[in-house]
Amino acid sequence: MKAEILKAIEENKDRFYEISAYIGANPELGHEEFKACKILTDELKKHNFNVEIGTAGLPTAFEATFDSGKPGATIGIMSEYDALPELGHACGHNLIGTMGIAAGIGLSKVLSETGGKVVVYGTPAEETKGGKVTMAEQGIFDHLDVAMMVHPLSQYEKSGASLAMDAIQFEFFGKAAHAAASPHEGINALDAVIQTFNSINALRQHITPDARIHGVIPEGGKAANIVPDYAVAQFYVRASSRSYLNELVEKVKKCAEGAALQTGATMEWSNYEFSYDDMITNEELSNVFNDTLIELGVNPEEINERSEGTGSLDMGNVSQVAPSIHPYVKICDEPFACHTHGFREAALSNQGKDAMILGAKTMAVTGYKILTNPELLQTIKAEFEKNKR
């Protein structure tokens, strides 16, 4: 049956190349991925998936199910397909989206023998407001036995951890005045923003090494001779666990509250983007994926450990409700970083497309191993229950 999976993906390889190239040539921002959503779901329909578009109230999200009608595990595979402003698919989501449907299609060809079902999820806006966050909150992934996705990178890396993240905005309201003629009549909202940054800089000495706080000032006044009556600071606050992040966010809020008191301004805070939970890699599931990658020809010495705490993923929210992995496949020989022009070109290259096919095959065969080994699935679930927060 493993051979059937590989054959199905190989026979459709040229079409998967076309789809990834089309998405790459038509980059769409988060929640605007209508072209990508259509071409991906149209292909799934051709392979007899039951497709629903608009999952969780998100117009460009989808849920595509192939159900054998027989008892068995439910394998979830994630697809991403949003692009970056100006850079296009510089994170390789044209490959991720196509890889997800290719894996689902390959696995579907043996479900009549294995039982169970495979569900491919179209998850929009990973780069901004994280479609998986909304979908996880609405219980879309709760019924999954395992969840997988594969990301392109400049090297092979195992699934690892990610940082939980809150996006916090502070708005300060002061009182305008002429900065030369009557500064004493004003309340400087920009001073409150600057004092917030200073307080947070002092706080950094007393936070754990895994945590990160970084911010910008998108609004700081209109003219130098007017005391700013409105100013805004935005921060990403990150930590390796949701529990510690919650503590840290409260401290950051205290910094802003103190700044408002010192300057006489008033302050309002809000989350300006969705919150991401930390990624909890299921090591048993990860081992199956890595072993399969080696079986398909990758030198085990090329598979690196994931650097801890390098960023935040909305896959983290999925990992809180289902055993999950988020490994990486190599798409280029140059050490291009994601979100660069070089990485975008790599994601459009033939090497990138071949890596996409390898990732799809590895996910599909991993799913097959789980469907045909109940003891393995129980081990994966036991680990999930042990590590669940």
Side-chain angles (χ1 to χ4, degrees), residues 31 56 58 61 122-137 141 274 276 314:
H31 297 306
L58 305 175
T123 61
E126 188 276 335
E127 298 290 357
T128 51
K129 291 192 175 181
K132 296 183 198 66
V133 176
T134 300
M135 296 167 80
E137 286 176 348
F141 309 121
F274 290 164
Y276 287 8
D314 64 353

Side-chain angles (χ1 to χ4, degrees), residues 61-216:
F62 66 82
E63 184 173 356
T65 305
F66 192 102
D67 190 344
S68 69
K70 299 178 181 179
T74 300
I75 310 297
I77 300 174
M78 308 293 147
S79 287
E80 299 173 356
Y81 35 85
D82 61 316
L84 292 157
E86 299 183 7
L87 287 174
H89 279 287
C91 204
H93 289 193
N94 59 310
L95 300 178
I96 297 174
T98 312
M99 198 186 314
I101 70 162
I105 289 168
L107 184 55
S108 73
K109 304 306 179 183
V110 299
L111 288 186
S112 61
E113 299 173 71
T114 65
K117 66 177 73 171
V118 59
V119 187
V120 180
Y121 294 95
T123 61
E126 188 276 335
E127 298 290 357
T128 51
K129 291 192 175 181
K132 296 183 198 66
V133 176
T134 300
M135 296 167 80
E137 286 176 348
Q138 295 191 23
I140 301 299
F141 309 121
D142 288 356
H143 69 292
L144 295 180
D145 289 295
V146 298
M148 296 182 281
M149 67 170 288
V150 174
H151 200 291
L153 203 64
S154 60
Q155 62 181 9
Y156 295 102
E157 288 191 2
K158 299 176 182 179
S159 181
S162 70
L163 299 177
M165 185 272 287
D166 282 349
I168 308 296
Q169 174 172 283
F170 298 110
E171 295 179 276
F172 292 93
F173 303 88
K175 181 182 177 183
H178 194 290
S182 54
H184 56 284
E185 295 178 358
I187 296 174
N188 196 317
L190 178 58
D191 280 349
V193 164
I194 293 171
Q195 192 59 45
T196 299
F197 272 84
N198 290 337
S199 296
I200 289 173
N201 286 339
L203 173 65
R204 284 194 178 94
Q205 182 182 356
H206 306 287
I207 64 177
T208 56
D210 58 283
R212 302 285 186 272
I213 310 171
H214 39 104
V216 296

Side-chain angles (χ1 to χ4, degrees), residues 369-384:
K369 291 179 177 180
I370 294 163
L371 287 166
T372 55
N373 190 336
E375 292 78 15
L376 172 62
L377 179 57
Q378 289 307 310
T379 303
I380 289 170
K381 286 188 168 185
E383 179 187 331
F384 174 73

